[in-house]
């Protein structure tokens, strides 16, 4: 990347800060999700607008996909039509309403736990702001209550779609797909973009090439080739968040040692434990 070239002559602290900074890496699933959200944003008015599910395992980039779309919309739009709601832990409509009020940057009155007052405030804000997409990140947090609480939340989503012409975008773990498709009536309202684990294939190699191109290292690491690609895939278990963390740590270690590329030895020296094995790792045993 041309933007990286000046950094190659920078001191180690500047290079390490760049490596550790958040970065956007485009990939096919992200592109499909953005295309689907763009269609919802640009659709004509509807009495039964469709929604969208972005579902997949933890630490696989779903939040970044949603937030990137919202930021790009803000940069181009005259009026904000896309809002990201961080779904709070806790069952029932009261917590769900609180999530929406916080996401819409509304002051929450002392009586927000009153469902009627909170519902009226949410309706008032939706009528005034006229969002087209409400993106509910970590939506699985709303599914941990009683069945009747979950039914009430889905009923609310249907109502705001009908009354306010809003397309809900539900982002979270695979449980949200199961919950939405628990009934045909709810399942018929949503399309799904899966954000699965990465297979060990050409797309994964392309991902590593993109990630390497963003690193201020003067020498080629060839992350997309054997054996490094296989090592990174095994350690990350195909989760993009883990891939970025592994490569970030390895790049920081390389710069700190005065090296300008990531090697197999450098990856080994990280002592990185895959996510599925951390519960039973040596470090965990040392705490007992």
């Amino acid at each position: 990347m041309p933007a990286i070239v000046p950094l190659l002559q920078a001191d180690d602290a500047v290079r390490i800060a760049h490596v550790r900074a958040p970065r956007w890496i485009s990939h096919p699933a992200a592109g499909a999700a953005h295309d689907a959200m763009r269609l919802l944003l640009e659709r004509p008015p509807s009495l039964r607008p469709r929604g969208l599910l972005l579902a997949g395992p933890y630490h696989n980039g779903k939040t970044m996909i949603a937030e990137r779309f919202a930021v790009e919309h803000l940069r181009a739009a005259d009026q904000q039509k896309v809002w990201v709601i961080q779904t709070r832990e806790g069952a029932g409509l009261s917590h769900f309403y609180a999530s929406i009020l916080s996401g819409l940057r509304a002051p929450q009155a002392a009586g927000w736990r009153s469902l009627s007052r909170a519902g009226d405030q949410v309706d008032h804000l939706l009528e005034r702001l006229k969002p087209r997409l409400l993106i509910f990140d970590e939506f699985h947090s709303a599914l941990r209550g009683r069945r009747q609480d979950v039914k009430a939340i889905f009923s609310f989503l249907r109502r705001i779609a009908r009354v306010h012409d809003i397309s809900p975008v539900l982002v979270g773990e695979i449980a949200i797909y199961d919950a939405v498709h628990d009934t045909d009536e709810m399942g018929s309202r949503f399309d799904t973009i899966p954000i699965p684990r990465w297979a060990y294939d050409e797309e994964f190699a392309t991902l590593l090439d993109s990630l390497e191109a963003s690193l201020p290292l003067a020498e080629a690491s060839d992350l997309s080739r054997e054996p490094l690609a296989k090592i990174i895939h095994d350690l990350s278990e195909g989760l993009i968040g883990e891939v970025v963390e592994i490569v970030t740590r390895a790049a920081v270690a390389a710069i700190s040692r005065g090296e300008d590329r990531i090697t197999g030895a450098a990856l080994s020296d990280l002592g990185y434990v895959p996510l599925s094995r951390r519960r039973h790792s040596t470090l965990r045993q040392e705490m007992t």
Side-chain angles (χ1 to χ4, degrees):
M1 287 186 181
I4 297 300
V5 174
L7 287 171
L8 298 178
Q9 305 303 321
D11 61 40
D12 288 355
V14 172
R15 296 165 70 199
I16 288 173
H18 177 83
V19 170
R20 287 176 169 162
R23 60 176 59 82
W24 168 251
I25 303 171
S26 183
H27 54 86
H34 283 189
D35 288 344
M37 286 188 280
R38 193 172 296 110
L39 287 175
L40 292 178
L41 183 62
E42 296 172 353
R43 65 172 172 77
S46 173
L47 293 175
R48 195 177 185 271
R50 297 188 65 76
L52 182 69
L53 305 180
L54 301 184
Y58 172 77
H59 211 200
N60 206 30
K62 300 181 298 297
T63 294
M64 183 169 283
I65 290 171
E67 291 181 345
R68 176 77 175 192
F69 181 83
V71 168
E72 289 181 345
H73 162 70
L74 274 178
R75 288 173 176 166
D78 295 328
Q79 180 181 353
Q80 184 172 355
K81 293 291 186 180
V82 178
W83 296 78
V84 178
I85 310 297
Q86 294 299 321
T87 311
R88 294 186 176 185
E89 291 280 356
L93 273 177
S94 61
H95 285 87
F96 200 63
Y97 284 154
S99 300
I100 297 172
L101 294 174
S102 177
L104 299 180
R105 300 190 286 275
Q108 294 181 25
W112 71 267
R113 289 184 182 276
S114 164
L115 282 179
S116 61
R117 290 184 62 183
D120 288 345
Q121 188 178 6
V122 168
D123 272 330
H124 173 75
L125 282 168
L126 295 180
E127 181 62 31
R128 181 167 64 86
L129 296 173
K130 300 188 182 304
R132 178 53 61 98
L133 267 65
L134 286 184
I135 301 174
F136 295 93
D137 194 21
E138 303 290 329
F139 184 76
H140 49 265
S141 297
L143 304 177
R144 293 171 180 161
R146 297 169 298 177
R147 184 178 180 85
Q148 64 198 56
D149 294 324
V150 175
K151 289 178 65 175
I153 288 171
F154 282 143
S155 177
F156 168 79
L157 292 178
R158 291 195 299 270
R159 189 177 70 80
I160 64 170
R162 182 181 69 254
V163 174
H164 298 289
D165 196 17
I166 292 171
S167 289
V169 179
L170 311 183
V171 181
E173 298 174 12
I174 300 169
I176 68 172
Y177 180 88
D178 296 333
V180 166
H181 287 275
D182 187 48
T183 65
D184 291 341
E185 195 280 335
M186 200 67 194
S188 68
R189 294 173 175 266
F190 286 86
D191 297 315
T192 302
I193 301 294
I195 313 296
R197 293 175 186 266
W198 289 72
Y200 186 61
D201 56 15
E202 285 299 319
E203 287 188 355
F204 185 72
T206 300
L207 171 70
L208 293 178
D209 282 338
S210 298
L211 188 53
E212 182 174 346
S214 71
L215 301 174
L217 299 175
E219 298 180 26
S221 299
D222 293 329
L223 296 182
S224 62
R225 298 182 182 179
E226 293 277 14
L228 299 191
K230 189 64 168 65
I231 293 172
I232 294 171
H233 189 269
D234 289 347
L235 290 176
S236 69
E237 299 179 327
L239 298 171
I240 192 171
E242 294 289 293
V243 172
V244 172
E245 181 65 21
I246 291 163
V247 173
T248 295
R249 292 191 189 186
V252 168
I255 294 171
S256 299
R257 290 197 300 261
E259 299 173 356
D260 261 308
R261 68 188 185 100
I262 296 171
T263 64
L267 290 172
S268 179
D269 289 346
L270 293 177
Y272 202 85
V273 179
L275 184 60
S276 66
R277 290 166 40 197
R278 287 175 200 164
R279 179 177 297 181
H280 305 292
S281 70
T282 302
L283 180 62
R284 172 64 178 83
Q285 294 170 12
E286 290 174 358
M287 298 178 191
T288 60

